[in-house]
Amino acid sequence: MFRIAVLPGDGIGPEIVPEAVKVLSACAEKFALSFKFEEAPVGGAAVDLTGHPLPGETLELCRKSDAIILGAIGGPKWDHLPVERRPEAAALLPLRKKLGLFANLRPVALYDALVDASPLKREVIAETDILVVRELTGGLYFGEKRRERIPGGERAVDTLIYTTSEIERIGRLAFEAARSRRKVLHSIDKANVLESSRLWREVINRLHEEYADIELHHMYVDNAAMQLVNWPKQFDVIVTENMFGDILTDQASVLTGSIGMLASASIGGAVALYEPAHGSAPDIAARDEANPLATILSAGLMMRYSFNHEEAAGAIEEAVERVLEKGYRTSELMQPGCRKIGTARMGDAVVEELLNQ
Ligand code: IPM
Ligand code: MG
């Protein structure tokens, strides 16, 4: 039996996470697996309940579980809180750090049925299949931060730090990923300006000696932002630091039709965390409108990376593909000739395809 911690969080989180749980339950049925789901509050929801966005019991549950599924965290209701209690800074980032989740894998793959859903041209995005490996526990997110009063105002400081070993472990993971795919790795940095990027590039180059079978390219982040929408097919695996990875993956999601399609797996520690790459979308919360597919596809990644069940992972991905081929769409992906359905119906449709395969 596998224990799965279920952390719905805020905004659309409590709508999309149950759909992923439905799909995991269907997987259990189909592949004779046994899952125990245990829910806990996190983010603003946990602030409202307990006063803190990451209660001790939630963290304990995560540590004891075999995998974690998380919806999304944060919203305008909690934006005014001091940083020690703000959902993003005091729950999501500590959760990643405390669980040692230094690598965030974000597959950016375009389903054929969605080629015309993207605002980008068909010939540019067709056959996009990229794996972004984002460093998740270093860089600007975790460096020292402070404010100082100075004459005429304040000075705010964020610190961008990377060590050799932090770069080595994420680089190694990315080279290995490239080895199991098309053997091309793009390392994205800003080595023309940043010292941390110069170290990043040196370490990646050194590692490359061990991975001579992989074609390595270095690219500046500004150029990468342009190349991603200009010629995405050149990319196989991308490896980059935390902040660049955050920004580039939101941009890359447009290649797949919608950020509602972008799944993610945060790995590297004893227990991995699966969450959609999008946010809590408070503007559409509680309207049965959110796209649950990124969370459902994250559950697919859980089958692959935590439970080593490639067949179940592939089955979830195929079920999503079939549902899209049949023309079912949540509103943000709606196109002429398609059938608009809500969050819960989308989850049901995936379950149905999965069990009928
Ligand atoms: C993401 C999100 C988070 C991040 C926010 C919510 C702190 O944008 O997972 O990409 O920046 O890492
Ligand atoms: Mg982001």
Side-chain angles (χ1 to χ4, degrees), residues 106 134 141 245-247 249-250 259 277-278:
R106 297 188 163 178
R134 169 189 175 193
Y141 280 61
D246 177 46
I247 297 169
T249 47
D250 263 38
I259 193 156
H278 59 69

Side-chain angles (χ1 to χ4, degrees), residues 54-237:
L54 184 59
E57 290 101 74
T58 299
L59 182 60
E60 249 335 279
L61 174 70
C62 289
R63 288 195 198 279
K64 283 191 312 216
S65 298
D66 296 299
I68 308 160
I69 186 123
L70 177 104
I73 276 185
K77 186 175 172 198
W78 306 283
D79 281 350
H80 67 281
L81 289 174
V83 68
E84 323 80 70
R85 288 199 299 135
R86 226 191 120 120
E88 297 87 342
L92 187 57
L93 303 189
L95 193 57
R96 290 171 177 171
K97 189 79 169 183
K98 285 175 201 283
L99 296 175
L101 306 174
F102 67 86
N104 182 223
L105 311 184
R106 297 188 163 178
V108 182
L110 174 64
Y111 285 93
D112 283 343
L114 295 183
V115 174
D116 294 315
S118 171
L120 300 170
K121 284 194 196 115
R122 164 184 277 266
E123 57 271 28
V124 173
I125 59 171
E127 291 157 53
T128 293
D129 181 6
I130 306 170
L131 177 68
V132 180
V133 178
R134 169 189 175 193
E135 202 291 327
L136 202 61
T137 52
L140 276 172
Y141 280 61
F142 293 94
E144 190 207 333
K145 297 169 197 300
R146 61 170 193 279
R147 292 265 197 123
E148 294 156 2
R149 293 224 149 268
I150 55 166
E154 287 182 273
R155 172 161 50 203
V157 181
D158 288 287
T159 324
L160 173 42
I161 301 175
Y162 270 107
T163 63
T164 306
S165 61
E166 283 174 321
I167 302 166
E168 246 168 35
R169 65 183 180 182
I170 192 77
R172 200 172 281 289
L173 197 143
F175 273 114
E176 292 289 339
R179 195 168 257 174
S180 70
R181 293 173 46 106
R182 301 191 301 278
K183 297 193 167 53
V184 182
L185 177 64
H186 282 78
S187 174
I188 312 297
D189 64 34
K190 189 72 185 173
N192 48 349
V193 176
L194 301 176
E195 201 52 44
S196 56
S197 280
R198 285 191 273 273
L199 178 63
W200 182 280
R201 202 175 267 223
E202 282 165 33
V203 173
I204 297 287
N205 275 334
R206 249 191 334 261
L207 268 181
H208 190 209
E209 291 167 17
E210 288 175 49
Y211 293 93
D213 54 322
I214 308 297
E215 185 184 315
L216 172 67
H217 302 267
H218 297 284
M219 196 179 265
Y220 295 139
V221 64
D222 47 351
N223 184 26
M226 186 263 280
Q227 295 293 339
L228 260 179
V229 286
N230 193 47
W231 182 28
K233 277 186 274 287
Q234 71 188 289
F235 298 107
D236 174 16
V237 177

